[in-house]
Amino acid sequence: MKKAAIIGAGIGGIAAAIRLVVKGYEVTVFEANESFGGKMHEFWLGKYRFDAGPSLFTLPHLVDELFELAGREPSAYFSYTRLDPITHYFWPDGSRLKAYAAADKFAEEAEQQLGVPKQDVLQALAKSARLYKGTAGTFLQKSLHKASTYLSPDVLKTLTCLPDLGLTTTMHKANAKQFQDQRMVQLLDRFATYNGSDPYQAPGTLNIIPHLEHNIGAFYPKGGMYAIANSLVKLAEELGVAFRYKEPVEQIITLSGKVMGVQTGNGNYNADVVVSNMDVVPTYRRLLPNHPAPEQTLKQPRSSSALIYYWGIKGLFPELHLHNIFFSGNYKEEFEHIFRRKTISPDPTVYLNITSKMEPQDAPEGCENWFVMVNVPHDEGQDWDKLIAVTRETVLNKLSLMLGTDIAPLIEQEKVLDPLLIESRTSSFAGALYGSSSNSRMAAFLRHPNFSSAIDGLYFCGGSVHPGGGIPLCLLSARIMGDLVPDATRKQGV
Ligand SMILES: Cc1cc2nc3c(=O)[nH]c(=O)nc-3n(C[C@H](O)[C@H](O)[C@H](O)COP(=O)(O)OP(=O)(O)OC[C@H]3O[C@@H](n4cnc5c(N)ncnc54)[C@H](O)[C@@H]3O)c2cc1C
């Protein structure tokens, strides 16, 4: 039986394991940590449960399709509900808006709360949908590094919407051209952060992202985000995938330009196919030290990272929902701080996620589990202890002011995650959340491919390679990788 070794049990690695076991491989996943999930893990602080990393779930069919691929009924393992409203937005001037799931209702709310013409919102969402439909087949669902991609009918679709793609403008400029209201522009610019980018630099093409949330929908997995990883690992184990925890891969073994297997502290493991779900930078630097690395690709600027305060809050806030955004007063300044000055703005936008709104058992009675996140630069040697302390005060002042309640005395449990911890726990280079940023027109083409052209049998999946970071894109990276790996049952040369 042909063997596949997967390095890392992040969401990309788990999806890759399922795809390859279905293709007939004997699959072993090597994970450095004591359990699976990578950035997607959960933990308890006293009686409060927290999802440590991702909190927004889009394109759930990409999870369902893994169960279907294995001939299983997805709902027997995993279920989710469509959110409505999706997000509660708060601005420093006191205005508030609920982003409803239905486009019409969302547009009506924008007209009522912000005075933005309803028709303009509907037009922006329709444009986002056109962009997505015109580009997804080419940019998100296939390898950009295979000639066959450019011969597919999807390329024609992309070419027909070329004038609309926004390649010659930025996300912000495109949004500012569409709306006069700065709050609406800010709301749409925020989607750049979904892949760790800067709306003032990223191409207008990224305005496809609102389509995912507002037209297709945002969802909540029953049991929290961790349920995604948990249910997929259950499936993988049933299919025979072996998970070896606390066994970091130390080297990818190669011979004459072909993978032979992996080396761990426990010895060598032979494999016909090796898939790295580890960030691509340390994959080359640590696991392939004797091979030339694709320096141009590895030098691409990293995405932003995050600073998270997990707070167990003694109190209930009925005006808050699962997803809440407290915007900064000057968005341009905020991104200037993150991407150019490489520090945290003194007035950051604060994202507040509260899963106990959906699952009351995630917090004790009369309490809420607050996941309070600020976008920050990736690590470049900043004084994180100082930034964590200063930003904590800023965030507390901001939330206390905007919610009209002194928050600090309500915190009864606390833990912090910063870029250094993100890197040390998952080997994500510089603690970047999404690999490289998408701040240039060429960024999509400069991500590492899902295969190695120098080493036969070596493949890549996960947030640092094509098509990018975020749960849906990691799942797509595993799908693209799976399409490239030959069936284990197919005879060589046939
Ligand atoms: C705070 C935060 C908030 C986020 N919010 C969202 C969100 O709301 N929505 C969304 O879609 N995405 C979000 N993301 C991004 C999302 O979590 C990631 O894109 C995704 O989880 C990355 O998965 P991955 O498969 O690339 O691998 P990772 O999760 O990075 O896992 C890689 C795994 O490989 C293991 N590993 C590394 N090196 C080795 C080795 N040598 N040997 C063995 N194992 C190794 C690591 O231990 C780790 O378990 C967020 C991320 C963070 C951190």
Side-chain angles (χ1 to χ4, degrees):
M1 201 169 181
K2 286 200 172 180
K3 290 183 175 180
I6 310 232
I7 305 167
I11 192 69
I14 301 167
I18 294 168
R19 290 192 175 271
L20 295 193
V21 77
V22 168
K23 280 197 155 215
Y25 286 85
E26 181 185 316
V27 180
T28 303
V29 181
F30 295 87
E31 169 53 53
N33 290 330
E34 62 288 347
S35 189
F36 55 84
K39 297 185 184 77
M40 182 191 275
H41 70 274
E42 70 171 2
F43 66 91
W44 288 81
L45 276 182
K47 290 186 175 161
Y48 294 88
R49 190 196 74 87
F50 291 93
D51 276 314
S55 54
L56 181 80
F57 183 38
T58 51
L59 301 186
H61 70 274
L62 295 174
V63 176
D64 286 344
E65 79 175 17
L66 290 165
F67 294 104
E68 285 155 4
L69 190 70
R72 310 291 166 99
E73 171 55 42
S75 62
Y77 294 79
F78 175 64
S79 60
Y80 48 85
T81 48
R82 190 172 181 172
L83 293 174
D84 193 18
I86 301 167
T87 308
H88 284 205
Y89 289 99
F90 301 76
W91 280 270
D93 66 1
S95 47
R96 296 180 174 196
L97 177 140
K98 288 181 188 163
Y100 289 102
D104 216 44
K105 204 167 162 200
F106 173 51
E108 247 164 46
E109 168 87 353
E111 190 163 82
Q112 274 169 21
Q113 303 301 331
L114 311 179
V116 173
K118 182 178 167 187
Q119 213 43 43
D120 291 0
V121 177
L122 291 174
Q123 261 176 23
L125 291 182
K127 186 173 173 198
S128 181
R130 278 200 309 280
L131 269 179
Y132 182 81
K133 285 172 192 157
T135 53
T138 309
F139 289 113
L140 301 182
Q141 296 175 5
K142 293 190 190 73
S143 171
L144 288 180
H145 305 84
K146 291 277 177 192
S148 56
T149 298
Y150 301 94
L151 302 172
S152 95
D154 286 318
V155 171
L156 260 187
K157 256 200 220 167
T158 305
L159 288 176
T160 53
C161 68
L162 209 54
D164 261 352
L165 275 188
L167 285 167
T168 53
T169 186
T170 65
M171 263 184 107
H172 172 75
K173 280 188 185 149
N175 291 328
K177 201 170 160 196
Q178 193 137 17
F179 294 98
Q180 280 176 354
D181 187 282
Q182 290 314 302
R183 293 162 300 181
M184 195 65 206
V185 174
Q186 194 172 23
L187 189 154
L188 292 172
D189 282 356
R190 186 180 80 91
F191 287 100
T193 65
Y194 282 28
N195 68 2
S197 302
D198 172 357
Y200 298 89
Q201 295 184 57
T205 323
L206 260 68
N207 282 325
I208 63 170
I209 303 175
H211 171 68
L212 302 188
E213 189 165 309
H214 284 285
N215 295 326
I216 302 177
F219 300 83
Y220 181 77
K222 192 171 177 334
M225 293 298 281
Y226 186 63
I228 302 173
N230 210 5
S231 60
L232 288 175
V233 166
K234 183 170 186 282
L235 171 70
E237 285 179 339
E238 281 176 18
L239 297 173
V241 173
F243 285 85
R244 286 167 57 163
Y245 298 114
K246 288 199 205 166
E247 193 170 345
V249 169
E250 292 166 356
Q251 205 159 329
I252 296 171
I253 308 165
T254 64
L255 184 69
S256 312
K258 190 181 171 347
V259 289
M260 302 305 289
V262 295
Q263 180 195 318
T264 76
N266 293 341
N268 291 355
Y269 177 88
N270 296 336
D272 304 278
V273 164
V274 172
V275 182
S276 180
N277 174 224
M278 184 188 195
D279 187 294
V280 70
V281 177
T283 298
Y284 279 98
R285 302 281 184 243
R286 304 215 297 253
L287 308 190
L288 291 164
N290 304 321
H291 286 265
E295 296 299 339
Q296 278 302 102
T297 303
L298 304 194
K299 269 199 297 225
Q300 287 311 303
R302 297 293 100 188
S303 79
S304 56
S305 185
L307 181 55
I308 295 137
Y309 304 91
Y310 307 94
W311 287 335
I313 294 282
K314 223 159 59 180
L316 294 175
F317 289 77
E319 71 267 54
L320 298 177
H321 175 68
L322 173 69
H323 299 296
N324 310 275
I325 291 288
F326 296 83
F327 273 123
S328 59
N330 188 335
Y331 222 26
K332 193 164 186 342
E333 271 277 312
E334 185 179 348
F335 283 98
E336 178 79 22
H337 274 83
I338 301 173
F339 285 95
R340 296 204 200 277
R341 297 191 215 169
K342 303 286 167 64
T343 186
I344 305 176
S345 158
D347 173 24
T349 294
V350 177
Y351 166 63
L352 171 52
N353 175 255
I354 312 173
T355 63
S356 60
K357 296 283 182 192
M358 307 296 288
E359 320 241 16
Q361 70 278 12
D362 282 358
E365 208 178 327
C367 303
E368 293 179 348
N369 62 342
W370 285 21
F371 166 111
V372 183
M373 177 175 140
V374 167
N375 290 311
V376 306
H378 58 264
D379 177 49
E380 284 197 5
Q382 296 91 332
D383 182 348
W384 288 107
D385 286 342
K386 192 168 161 201
L387 286 172
I388 289 168
V390 171
T391 307
R392 185 181 188 277
E393 286 313 298
T394 312
V395 169
L396 278 171
N397 289 338
K398 182 176 179 115
L399 292 179
S400 301
L401 189 73
M402 289 173 94
L403 292 170
T405 307
D406 190 7
I407 303 297
L410 304 179
I411 301 173
E412 62 168 9
Q413 293 282 355
E414 176 158 14
K415 191 172 163 171
V416 179
L417 182 71
D418 68 1
L420 297 179
L421 277 172
I422 293 171
E423 176 160 24
S424 67
R425 285 189 190 153
T426 60
S427 291
S428 302
F429 181 57
L433 299 194
Y434 304 96
S436 52
S437 76
S438 298
N439 285 345
S440 79
R441 229 179 294 171
M442 289 305 288
F445 297 94
L446 293 169
R447 278 188 174 270
H448 195 283
N450 305 95
F451 62 96
S452 161
S453 37
I455 304 170
D456 199 22
L458 177 59
Y459 296 86
F460 297 85
C461 69
S464 68
V465 298
H466 178 70
I471 304 305
L473 298 194
C474 288
L475 292 170
L476 284 171
S477 77
R479 191 211 271 173
I480 297 169
M481 178 282 306
D483 288 346
L484 296 172
V485 174
D487 258 351
T489 44
R490 205 189 306 156
K491 287 208 181 81
Q492 277 207 333
V494 176

